[in-house]
Amino acid sequence: MIVPIELTQPATRRYDIRIEELPALRFDRKVAVVTNPTVAGLHKQRLLERIEAPQLEWIEVPDGEEYKTMETVLSILDRLFEAQFDRQSLLIAFGGGVIGDMTGFAASIYQRGIGFMQVPTTLLSQVDASVGGKTGVNNRFGKNLIGSFYQPEAVYIDPAFLETLPPREYAAGIAEVVKMAVMFDKEFFDFLSSHDLRDPEALKRMIARSVALKAEVVNQDEKEKGLRAVLNYGHTFGHVVENETGYSRYLHGEAVAIGMVMANELAVKLGLLNREEAEAIRELLERYDLPTSYPIQDVDEFYEHFFLDKKSAKGKIKFILPGGKIGTHVMRDDLDEAIVKEVLAQFGEGR
Amino acid sequence: MIVPIELTQPATRRYDIRIEELPALRFDRKVAVVTNPTVAGLHKQRLLERIEAPQLEWIEVPDGEEYKTMETVLSILDRLFEAQFDRQSLLIAFGGGVIGDMTGFAASIYQRGIGFMQVPTTLLSQVDASVGGKTGVNNRFGKNLIGSFYQPEAVYIDPAFLETLPPREYAAGIAEVVKMAVMFDKEFFDFLSSHDLRDPEALKRMIARSVALKAEVVNQDEKEKGLRAVLNYGHTFGHVVENETGYSRYLHGEAVAIGMVMANELAVKLGLLNREEAEAIRELLERYDLPTSYPIQDVDEFYEHFFLDKKSAKGKIKFILPGGKIGTHVMRDDLDEAIVKEVLAQFGEGR
């Protein structure tokens, strides 16, 4: 005997990403802001001035990727239980990608899911992490290995929060923007190359276009079964770089910059990108002092580390590369080990 | 500037609940069976005979509600990481409701979600817990407070597993079946009243109808925003009984039986059920030795405990009651405290 289950839910879930000065937000439900002491020290006042709620909890967790753990998420949940949050309550992620990932994850499992909003305060999280609904924490086996796909109710991107951002973190955000342009939009790449991206007007246009591109991708492939994998351009290599350097030497965006240069070298070798365009990408990255070289000590070991990635299903490495020129992309999982290692060897020579 | 996100996913997710002898299952991906020593001791052979997979992990967690914790779920995840499970891998929940809830939760957060299947081995989990996609664990604040909504790929219900089930657990499963009948289907209630539910043919029909009713409810309201709350008939009272007795004196289904009798008394007082029908329900429960009385020591304290429930949003208690007669239901969140306490006081007198 067979009983079919057919779950018909609203086919479309819709929410807005607003790029503007943070508006006044009035809620008629309990609200908890999750942040860290660094962000709180800089911006607590600016946020509190704008939030009104019958009960407001302020939850600070330690600052840093090393605290992006299940233990921290459980400590957030404990605070919510103590404050008797119910299924109508709301979390607000106020900080960078680490805060956003953990707050989203906490919201997704508190009483089987409550609402959350993103107020990202770093460039990286404004252009990338706050859009798309990936949540998660790290564990001893790797990064983001425990988590969920869970969409926020809204994302508020206020560029004013970036005024206090250290230049290195600013540049790390730009790396992800360059990634979007190289994969999807030549015109956008030209815009990035021809403007000072620290200028407020250019910054705002950069954020908006980057978010729109990412939104298009996520709209087509929320659960990363196809197109969304293109966002891993630079990441397949970058993750190995991060892993080999213990996640301490490079910011994530910096490792992605190195990873894009590595991917581009591979693309050049395969005839998927010409030398001039590869150099144009490198120059754009270097203009913001992003690293573009990395001395690979042991090519074989570097290659083995590709297989630690959770996207390397069934022993195949998926390389995301420019698809012939800037603004296009291709996924290749059929590359000869020898060719990849030849490219890696170039970096071993201190390229 | 506003960028809209519109997530269009397949409007319908479909899977089958099969009520039949467990068929041979062949997989071309890694599979982990999650179970406990009790179930393994009784049925390991029967399951292993039927599963074929390139890599099969056998994960046993301690038996009992007190181990339905985040720690146990994390220990399951660790085993999966050690066995290098990827996003294509599959979990099989093999046991009762506790195993199903934890395995589903583990599947929902491992690498942001992998597939899982249910092979329930108790009557309670066959007729109720394995259908509907609720997952979760307990913590010091209460039951099922951390979890997710996450649907399995398939549910295999093989009544042969029930042959070894202790009578008390069998009866606890019948309590949830009676709940479905009283809320939704007078004809089914008459069937239950007029058959020996230990007879294999009646058992199979009972499981099928119960699962079909639950499936209809879940199909209409996966995330418990409306109709699904009707499944809490008997639970609002039952949860308090469980809580007051430290989750040790009664099985969940037994507490639900007591809770239904309490809800019925309230319904009789409100003119929503006649005395004859209330007695017919009680008689059916007592035929399977289910408890139908509970000495309430302190009516005020019992009433206060209603507010610990995660469904009691914004300070209102939602009572699910028969809606005029057996086979119908009504939700009332406007009841006068005094009326509820009058009913509770009847039980205080040893009713």
Side-chain angles (χ1 to χ4, degrees):
Chain A
M1 191 173 309
I2 297 177
V3 179
I5 293 263
E6 297 210 346
L7 293 167
T8 310
Q9 60 175 28
T12 303
R13 286 159 296 150
R14 193 188 183 289
Y15 62 93
D16 287 332
I17 301 169
R18 312 180 77 97
I19 302 151
E20 61 189 20
E21 190 189 322
L22 186 66
L25 302 168
R26 286 190 186 78
F27 302 103
D28 64 347
R29 46 187 174 159
K30 296 183 184 189
V31 173
V33 176
V34 180
T35 188
N36 65 40
T38 314
V39 174
L42 294 165
H43 305 300
K44 184 173 185 174
Q45 200 52 41
R46 185 175 171 85
L47 187 70
L48 286 188
E49 277 167 4
R50 288 165 168 81
I51 293 186
E52 224 178 276
Q55 183 179 336
L56 185 69
E57 298 292 319
W58 188 266
I59 302 175
E60 291 184 19
V61 300
D63 190 6
E65 182 86 26
E66 67 269 36
Y67 299 103
K68 187 175 161 179
T69 61
M70 186 60 93
E71 289 66 40
T72 306
V73 168
L74 291 176
S75 77
I76 295 169
L77 297 182
D78 272 357
R79 286 284 305 275
L80 303 179
F81 286 116
E82 281 158 10
Q84 296 191 288
F85 271 44
D86 61 35
R87 286 184 170 176
Q88 277 70 49
S89 303
L90 177 76
L91 301 193
I92 295 178
F94 185 48
V98 171
I99 290 291
D101 284 4
M102 285 199 292
T103 307
F105 187 39
S108 76
I109 61 175
Y110 185 82
Q111 298 197 0
R112 297 202 186 98
I114 60 172
F116 89 111
M117 292 182 181
Q118 297 264 23
V119 182
T121 60
T122 66
L123 183 55
L124 184 62
S125 59
Q126 291 195 347
V127 297
D128 187 33
S130 68
V131 183
K134 280 190 181 180
T135 83
V137 296
N138 309 328
N139 67 4
R140 68 191 163 93
F141 297 95
K143 288 184 71 174
N144 298 317
L145 289 180
I146 302 177
S148 56
F149 288 99
Y150 198 69
Q151 301 294 336
E153 295 181 9
V155 182
Y156 293 94
I157 297 178
D158 182 347
F161 287 119
L162 305 182
E163 284 161 20
T164 56
L165 197 68
R168 222 184 127 190
E169 284 199 42
Y170 198 91
I174 284 178
E176 295 279 1
V177 175
V178 171
K179 176 194 78 178
M180 299 301 296
V182 173
M183 288 290 99
F184 297 111
D185 189 345
K186 172 70 161 76
E187 203 177 306
F188 185 38
F189 182 82
D190 293 340
F191 170 86
L192 298 176
S193 301
S194 59
H195 285 78
D196 178 357
L197 302 174
R198 289 192 180 93
D199 166 74
E201 224 17 73
L203 165 63
K204 204 168 160 177
R205 282 180 61 187
M206 176 181 83
I207 294 174
R209 183 67 191 138
S210 195
V211 164
L213 283 170
K214 174 127 188 210
E216 268 178 51
V217 173
V218 173
N219 290 353
Q220 285 179 55
D221 176 30
E222 179 187 8
K223 302 266 172 88
E224 200 167 18
K225 297 188 185 300
L227 182 64
R228 190 163 182 170
V230 173
L231 303 181
N232 288 311
Y233 168 55
H235 286 63
T236 310
F237 294 91
H239 282 152
V240 178
V241 170
E242 281 184 289
N243 185 276
E244 285 198 345
T245 53
Y247 298 96
S248 57
R249 182 152 135 214
Y250 300 109
L251 296 175
H252 175 67
E254 292 173 337
V256 169
I258 294 168
M260 285 191 286
V261 173
M262 288 178 170
N264 290 351
E265 288 303 313
L266 182 56
V268 168
K269 185 168 283 280
L270 296 168
L272 292 168
L273 190 68
N274 67 41
R275 175 58 59 197
E276 291 67 36
E277 290 197 310
E279 288 309 315
I281 297 168
R282 176 197 297 272
E283 277 165 30
L284 177 54
L285 296 171
E286 289 180 347
R287 194 182 310 159
Y288 294 93
D289 295 323
L290 284 162
T292 56
S293 65
Y294 172 77
I296 294 176
Q297 306 296 334
D298 185 326
V299 165
D300 294 327
E301 206 175 282
F302 193 100
Y303 189 86
E304 277 311 302
H305 283 164
F306 283 133
F307 295 98
L308 297 175
D309 197 301
K310 64 177 169 296
K311 283 130 204 158
S312 299
K314 297 184 181 174
K316 281 189 178 172
I317 313 168
K318 288 182 186 169
F319 290 102
I320 310 294
L321 304 169
K325 58 185 179 187
I326 287 175
T328 66
H329 53 265
V330 70
M331 197 276 284
R332 294 287 296 269
D333 64 358
D334 59 346
L335 294 186
D336 202 54
E337 184 174 331
I339 290 179
V340 176
K341 286 187 174 175
E342 258 180 59
V343 171
L344 294 176
Q346 292 177 27
F347 286 82
E349 289 153 13
R351 195 354 345 177
Chain B
M1 192 174 306
I2 297 176
V3 179
I5 294 259
E6 296 210 345
L7 293 167
T8 309
Q9 60 174 29
T12 302
R13 285 160 296 151
R14 195 188 183 290
Y15 63 91
D16 285 334
I17 301 170
R18 312 180 78 96
I19 303 152
E20 61 190 20
E21 191 189 323
L22 187 67
L25 302 169
R26 286 191 185 76
F27 302 103
D28 65 347
R29 46 186 174 159
K30 297 185 183 186
V31 173
V33 176
V34 181
T35 189
N36 65 43
T38 314
V39 173
L42 293 166
H43 304 301
K44 185 172 185 174
Q45 200 50 40
R46 184 174 172 84
L47 186 70
L48 286 187
E49 278 168 3
R50 289 165 167 81
I51 293 187
E52 222 178 278
Q55 183 180 337
L56 185 69
E57 299 292 319
W58 188 266
I59 302 175
E60 290 184 20
V61 300
D63 189 5
E65 182 85 28
E66 66 269 37
Y67 298 103
K68 188 176 161 181
T69 61
M70 186 61 94
E71 288 67 41
T72 305
V73 168
L74 291 175
S75 77
I76 294 170
L77 297 181
D78 273 357
R79 286 285 304 274
L80 303 179
F81 286 115
E82 281 157 12
Q84 297 191 287
F85 271 46
D86 61 34
R87 286 183 170 179
Q88 277 70 49
S89 303
L90 176 76
L91 301 193
I92 295 178
F94 185 48
V98 170
I99 289 292
D101 284 6
M102 287 200 292
T103 306
F105 187 38
S108 75
I109 64 175
Y110 185 81
Q111 297 198 2
R112 297 200 185 99
I114 61 173
F116 89 110
M117 292 182 182
Q118 297 262 22
V119 182
T121 60
T122 66
L123 183 56
L124 184 63
S125 60
Q126 291 196 346
V127 297
D128 186 35
S130 69
V131 182
K134 280 191 181 180
T135 84
V137 295
N138 309 328
N139 67 3
R140 67 191 162 95
F141 297 96
K143 288 185 70 174
N144 298 317
L145 289 179
I146 301 178
S148 58
F149 288 99
Y150 198 70
Q151 300 294 337
E153 295 181 7
V155 182
Y156 293 94
I157 296 178
D158 182 347
F161 288 119
L162 304 183
E163 284 161 18
T164 57
L165 198 66
R168 224 184 124 189
E169 283 199 43
Y170 198 90
I174 285 179
E176 295 280 2
V177 175
V178 171
K179 176 194 78 177
M180 298 301 295
V182 173
M183 289 289 98
F184 296 110
D185 189 344
K186 172 70 161 74
E187 203 176 308
F188 186 38
F189 183 82
D190 292 341
F191 171 85
L192 298 177
S193 301
S194 60
H195 286 78
D196 177 357
L197 302 175
R198 290 194 180 90
D199 168 75
E201 223 17 72
L203 165 63
K204 203 167 162 181
R205 282 179 65 187
M206 175 181 83
I207 293 173
R209 183 67 191 137
S210 196
V211 164
L213 284 169
K214 175 131 188 207
E216 269 179 50
V217 172
V218 173
N219 290 354
Q220 285 180 56
D221 176 29
E222 181 187 7
K223 301 265 171 89
E224 200 168 17
K225 295 187 187 305
L227 182 66
R228 191 162 181 172
V230 174
L231 302 181
N232 288 310
Y233 167 56
H235 286 64
T236 312
F237 293 91
H239 282 152
V240 178
V241 169
E242 281 183 290
N243 186 277
E244 286 198 346
T245 53
Y247 298 95
S248 57
R249 183 153 131 213
Y250 299 109
L251 298 174
H252 175 66
E254 292 173 337
V256 169
I258 294 169
M260 286 191 285
V261 172
M262 288 180 170
N264 290 350
E265 289 302 312
L266 181 56
V268 168
K269 186 169 283 281
L270 295 168
L272 292 168
L273 191 68
N274 65 42
R275 174 59 57 197
E276 290 68 36
E277 290 196 311
E279 288 309 314
I281 297 168
R282 175 197 298 271
E283 276 166 29
L284 177 54
L285 297 171
E286 289 180 346
R287 193 183 310 161
Y288 294 93
D289 294 323
L290 284 162
T292 56
S293 65
Y294 173 76
I296 295 176
Q297 306 296 332
D298 185 326
V299 165
D300 294 327
E301 207 176 281
F302 194 100
Y303 189 87
E304 277 313 302
H305 284 164
F306 283 132
F307 295 98
L308 297 175
D309 196 301
K310 62 177 170 297
K311 284 128 201 158
S312 300
K314 298 185 180 172
K316 280 187 179 172
I317 313 166
K318 288 183 187 168
F319 291 103
I320 311 294
L321 304 170
K325 58 186 179 184
I326 287 175
T328 67
H329 54 265
V330 69
M331 197 275 284
R332 293 288 295 271
D333 66 358
D334 60 346
L335 294 187
D336 202 54
E337 186 175 329
I339 289 177
V340 177
K341 287 188 174 174
E342 257 178 63
V343 170
L344 294 177
Q346 293 176 24
F347 285 82
E349 291 153 9
R351 182 40 303 182

